[in-house]
Amino acid sequence: MPTRMDNGERCTPAKCETCHGPMDSPAFCDNCHSLYPADGLNHFELLGFLPSFDIDAAALRQRYLQVSRGVHPDHHGRGTDSSVSLRLSAQLNEAHRILSDPVLRAEYLLELVGGTAASSDKSVLDGVLATTLMLREETAEAKAAADTAALDACRARARQHYDTTLAQIAALARQLPGDEGLRRRLRATLNSIKYYQKLLSEL
Ligand SMILES: [Zn+2]
C-alpha cells in the first residue's frame, strides 16, 4: 500500500510503489497504471479526499471518473489485476454514490467518527412525526378532492421542511467529530429527514 500524506485539502498518496510517481488516488497510478487494492480505505481516502462534509461536487465527480477509467476492467484483463480492478470499480461506484449525496455523506461521516447507526438509534427531532402525519392527511384530502393547488401547497411545505432539515444536517456535520450530544443530534436529524424524503417521494 502506498503511503499517504495530507496536503491540507485532500488526502494524497505520496508516491506509487512501482514507478515512484505521485498518485491522485491510492488505488491507481496514472503514470504506470499500477493498481493497488483499496481494502481498509474509507470512501474519502479511496477518492483521495480528506473526510469532510464540504466536498467540491465537481472535483469529486472529476476524480471519480478519472480513477474509474484507470481501474476499469477493460484495461486490466488478466490474473490478479482483473479481480482487483473489478473490486475497485465496485468500491469506487459505492464511494461516489455515498459522497455525492449530502444526506448519505453526513451519515457516512457520522459513522466514521463512531456515531450510532440508524438501526440502533431511531430517535427523531421534536415535531417531525406530527408534521409528516399532518402533511400526509392534508395530501390525502387534496388528492381526494382533486385540488391541485392544495396539493402543490403540501408539496411546497414538505420541500421546505426537507430543506430546513438538510441545512441543520450540514451545520452539524461540519462540526464533526464533536461531542456525544452533537453526534446524537445529527443522528436524530438524519433520521428525521428520511420522513420528509419519503413524504416527498409520495407526492
Ligand atoms: Zn506508478
Coordinates of all heavy atoms in Angstrom, one line a residue, residues 93-136:
N93 N -17.7 3.0 -7.3 CA -19.1 3.3 -7.5 C -19.9 3.6 -6.2 O -20.6 4.6 -6.1 CB -19.8 2.2 -8.3 CG -19.4 2.1 -9.7 OD1 -18.8 3.0 -10.3 ND2 -19.6 0.9 -10.3
E94 N -19.6 2.8 -5.2 CA -20.2 2.9 -3.9 C -19.7 4.2 -3.3 O -20.5 5.0 -2.7 CB -19.9 1.7 -3.0 CG -20.5 1.8 -1.6 CD -22.0 1.7 -1.6 OE1 -22.7 1.7 -2.6 OE2 -22.5 1.8 -0.4
A95 N -18.4 4.5 -3.3 CA -17.9 5.7 -2.7 C -18.5 7.0 -3.4 O -18.9 7.9 -2.7 CB -16.4 5.8 -2.9
H96 N -18.7 6.9 -4.7 CA -19.2 8.1 -5.4 C -20.7 8.3 -5.0 O -21.2 9.4 -4.8 CB -19.0 8.0 -6.9 CG -19.6 9.1 -7.6 ND1 -20.7 9.1 -8.4 CD2 -19.1 10.4 -7.7 CE1 -21.0 10.3 -8.9 NE2 -20.0 11.1 -8.5
R97 N -21.4 7.1 -4.9 CA -22.9 7.2 -4.6 C -23.1 7.8 -3.2 O -23.9 8.7 -3.0 CB -23.4 5.8 -4.6 CG -24.9 5.7 -4.3 CD -25.4 4.2 -4.3 NE -25.1 3.6 -3.1 CZ -25.8 3.6 -1.9 NH1 -26.9 4.4 -1.9 NH2 -25.5 3.0 -0.9
I98 N -22.3 7.4 -2.3 CA -22.4 8.0 -0.9 C -21.9 9.4 -0.8 O -22.6 10.3 -0.3 CB -21.6 7.1 0.1 CG1 -22.0 5.6 0.1 CG2 -21.6 7.7 1.5 CD1 -23.3 5.3 0.8
L99 N -20.8 9.7 -1.4 CA -20.2 11.0 -1.2 C -20.9 12.1 -2.0 O -20.8 13.3 -1.6 CB -18.7 11.0 -1.5 CG -17.8 10.1 -0.6 CD1 -16.4 10.3 -0.8 CD2 -18.2 10.2 0.9
S100 N -21.5 11.7 -3.1 CA -22.2 12.8 -3.9 C -23.6 13.2 -3.3 O -24.2 14.1 -3.8 CB -22.3 12.3 -5.3 OG -23.0 11.1 -5.4
D101 N -24.1 12.5 -2.3 CA -25.4 12.8 -1.8 C -25.2 13.4 -0.4 O -24.6 12.7 0.5 CB -26.2 11.5 -1.7 CG -27.6 11.6 -1.1 OD1 -27.7 12.4 0.0 OD2 -28.5 11.1 -1.6
P102 N -25.6 14.6 -0.1 CA -25.3 15.2 1.2 C -25.8 14.5 2.4 O -25.1 14.5 3.4 CB -25.9 16.6 1.1 CG -26.8 16.6 -0.1 CD -26.3 15.5 -1.0
V103 N -27.0 13.9 2.3 CA -27.5 13.1 3.4 C -26.7 11.9 3.7 O -26.3 11.6 4.8 CB -29.0 12.8 3.2 CG1 -29.5 11.9 4.3 CG2 -29.8 14.1 3.1
L104 N -26.4 11.1 2.6 CA -25.6 9.9 2.8 C -24.2 10.2 3.2 O -23.6 9.5 4.0 CB -25.6 9.1 1.5 CG -27.0 8.6 1.0 CD1 -26.8 7.8 -0.3 CD2 -27.6 7.7 2.0
R105 N -23.7 11.4 2.7 CA -22.3 11.8 3.1 C -22.2 12.1 4.6 O -21.3 11.7 5.3 CB -21.9 13.0 2.2 CG -20.4 13.4 2.5 CD -20.0 14.4 1.4 NE -20.6 15.7 1.4 CZ -21.4 16.2 0.5 NH1 -21.7 15.5 -0.6 NH2 -21.9 17.4 0.6
A106 N -23.2 12.8 5.1 CA -23.3 13.2 6.5 C -23.4 11.9 7.4 O -22.7 11.8 8.4 CB -24.4 14.2 6.8
E107 N -24.2 11.0 6.9 CA -24.4 9.8 7.7 C -23.1 8.9 7.7 O -22.8 8.4 8.7 CB -25.6 9.0 7.0 CG -26.0 7.8 7.7 CD -27.5 7.5 7.5 OE1 -27.9 7.6 6.3 OE2 -28.2 7.2 8.4
Y108 N -22.5 8.9 6.6 CA -21.2 8.2 6.5 C -20.1 8.8 7.4 O -19.4 8.1 8.1 CB -20.7 8.2 5.0 CG -19.5 7.3 4.8 CD1 -19.5 5.9 4.9 CD2 -18.3 7.9 4.5 CE1 -18.4 5.2 4.7 CE2 -17.2 7.2 4.3 CZ -17.2 5.8 4.4 OH -16.1 5.0 4.2
L109 N -20.1 10.1 7.4 CA -19.1 10.8 8.2 C -19.4 10.5 9.7 O -18.5 10.3 10.5 CB -19.2 12.3 8.0 CG -18.3 12.9 6.9 CD1 -18.7 14.4 6.7 CD2 -16.8 12.8 7.3
L110 N -20.7 10.5 10.0 CA -21.1 10.3 11.4 C -20.6 8.9 11.9 O -20.1 8.7 13.0 CB -22.6 10.4 11.5 CG -23.2 10.1 12.9 CD1 -22.7 11.1 14.0 CD2 -24.7 10.2 12.9
E111 N -20.8 7.9 11.0 CA -20.4 6.6 11.4 C -18.9 6.4 11.4 O -18.3 5.7 12.2 CB -21.1 5.6 10.4 CG -22.6 5.5 10.7 CD -23.4 4.6 9.9 OE1 -22.9 3.6 9.4 OE2 -24.6 4.8 9.7
L112 N -18.2 7.2 10.5 CA -16.7 7.2 10.5 C -16.1 7.7 11.9 O -15.1 7.2 12.3 CB -16.1 8.1 9.5 CG -15.9 7.6 8.1 CD1 -15.2 8.6 7.2 CD2 -15.0 6.3 8.1
V113 N -16.8 8.6 12.5 CA -16.3 9.1 13.8 C -17.0 8.4 15.0 O -16.9 8.9 16.1 CB -16.5 10.7 13.9 CG1 -15.8 11.4 12.9 CG2 -18.0 11.1 13.9
G114 N -17.6 7.3 14.7 CA -18.1 6.5 15.8 C -19.5 6.8 16.3 O -20.0 6.3 17.3
G115 N -20.3 7.6 15.5 CA -21.7 7.9 15.8 C -22.5 6.6 15.6 O -22.1 5.7 14.9
T116 N -23.7 6.6 16.2 CA -24.5 5.4 16.1 C -25.2 5.3 14.7 O -25.5 6.3 14.1 CB -25.6 5.4 17.1 OG1 -26.2 6.6 17.1 CG2 -25.1 5.0 18.5
A117 N -25.5 4.1 14.3 CA -26.1 3.8 13.0 C -27.7 4.0 13.2 O -28.1 3.9 14.4 CB -25.8 2.4 12.5
A118 N -28.4 4.2 12.1 CA -29.8 4.4 12.2 C -30.5 3.2 12.8 O -31.5 3.3 13.4 CB -30.4 4.7 10.8
S119 N -29.9 2.0 12.6 CA -30.5 0.8 13.1 C -30.5 0.7 14.6 O -31.4 0.1 15.2 CB -29.8 -0.4 12.5 OG -28.4 -0.3 12.8
S120 N -29.6 1.4 15.3 CA -29.6 1.3 16.7 C -30.0 2.6 17.4 O -30.2 2.6 18.7 CB -28.2 0.9 17.2 OG -27.2 1.7 16.6
D121 N -30.3 3.7 16.7 CA -30.9 4.9 17.3 C -31.9 5.5 16.3 O -31.5 6.1 15.3 CB -29.7 5.9 17.6 CG -30.3 7.2 18.2 OD1 -31.5 7.3 18.3 OD2 -29.4 8.0 18.5
K122 N -33.1 5.2 16.6 CA -34.2 5.7 15.7 C -34.8 7.0 16.1 O -35.9 7.3 15.6 CB -35.3 4.6 15.6 CG -34.7 3.3 15.1 CD -35.9 2.3 14.8 CE -35.4 0.9 14.5 NZ -34.4 0.7 13.5
S123 N -34.2 7.7 17.0 CA -34.8 8.9 17.5 C -35.0 10.0 16.4 O -34.1 10.0 15.5 CB -34.0 9.5 18.7 OG -32.7 9.7 18.3
V124 N -36.0 10.8 16.5 CA -36.2 11.9 15.5 C -36.4 13.2 16.3 O -36.6 13.2 17.5 CB -37.4 11.7 14.6 CG1 -37.2 10.5 13.7 CG2 -38.7 11.5 15.4
L125 N -36.3 14.3 15.6 CA -36.4 15.6 16.2 C -37.9 15.9 16.6 O -38.8 15.3 16.0 CB -36.0 16.7 15.2 CG -34.6 16.7 14.7 CD1 -34.4 17.8 13.6 CD2 -33.6 16.8 15.8
D126 N -38.1 16.7 17.6 CA -39.4 17.0 18.1 C -40.3 17.5 16.9 O -39.8 18.4 16.1 CB -39.4 18.1 19.1 CG -38.8 17.6 20.5 OD1 -38.8 16.3 20.6 OD2 -38.5 18.4 21.3
G127 N -41.5 17.0 16.8 CA -42.5 17.6 15.9 C -42.5 16.9 14.5 O -43.4 17.1 13.7
V128 N -41.4 16.1 14.2 CA -41.3 15.6 12.9 C -42.5 14.6 12.6 O -43.1 14.6 11.5 CB -40.0 14.8 12.7 CG1 -39.9 14.0 11.4 CG2 -38.8 15.9 12.7
L129 N -42.8 13.7 13.5 CA -43.8 12.8 13.3 C -45.2 13.4 13.1 O -45.9 13.1 12.2 CB -43.9 11.7 14.5 CG -42.6 10.9 14.7 CD1 -42.7 9.9 15.8 CD2 -42.2 10.2 13.4
A130 N -45.5 14.4 14.0 CA -46.7 15.1 13.9 C -46.8 15.9 12.6 O -47.9 15.9 11.9 CB -46.9 16.1 15.1
T131 N -45.7 16.5 12.2 CA -45.7 17.3 10.9 C -46.0 16.4 9.7 O -46.8 16.7 8.8 CB -44.4 18.1 10.8 OG1 -44.2 18.9 11.9 CG2 -44.4 18.9 9.5
T132 N -45.2 15.3 9.7 CA -45.4 14.4 8.5 C -46.8 13.8 8.5 O -47.4 13.7 7.4 CB -44.3 13.3 8.4 OG1 -44.2 12.7 9.7 CG2 -43.0 13.9 8.0
L133 N -47.3 13.5 9.7 CA -48.7 12.9 9.7 C -49.7 13.9 9.2 O -50.6 13.6 8.4 CB -49.0 12.5 11.2 CG -50.3 11.7 11.4 CD1 -50.2 10.4 10.7 CD2 -50.6 11.6 12.9
M134 N -49.6 15.2 9.6 CA -50.5 16.2 9.2 C -50.4 16.4 7.7 O -51.4 16.5 7.0 CB -50.2 17.5 10.0 CG -51.1 18.6 9.8 SD -50.7 20.0 10.9 CE -49.1 20.5 10.1
L135 N -49.2 16.5 7.2 CA -49.0 16.8 5.8 C -49.6 15.6 5.0 O -50.1 15.8 3.9 CB -47.5 17.0 5.4 CG -47.0 18.4 5.6 CD1 -45.5 18.4 5.5 CD2 -47.6 19.3 4.5
R136 N -49.4 14.4 5.5 CA -49.9 13.2 4.8 C -51.4 13.2 4.7 O -52.0 12.9 3.7 CB -49.4 11.9 5.5 CG -49.6 10.7 4.7 CD -48.7 9.6 5.1 NE -47.4 9.6 4.5 CZ -46.3 9.6 5.1 NH1 -46.2 9.5 6.4 NH2 -45.1 9.6 4.5

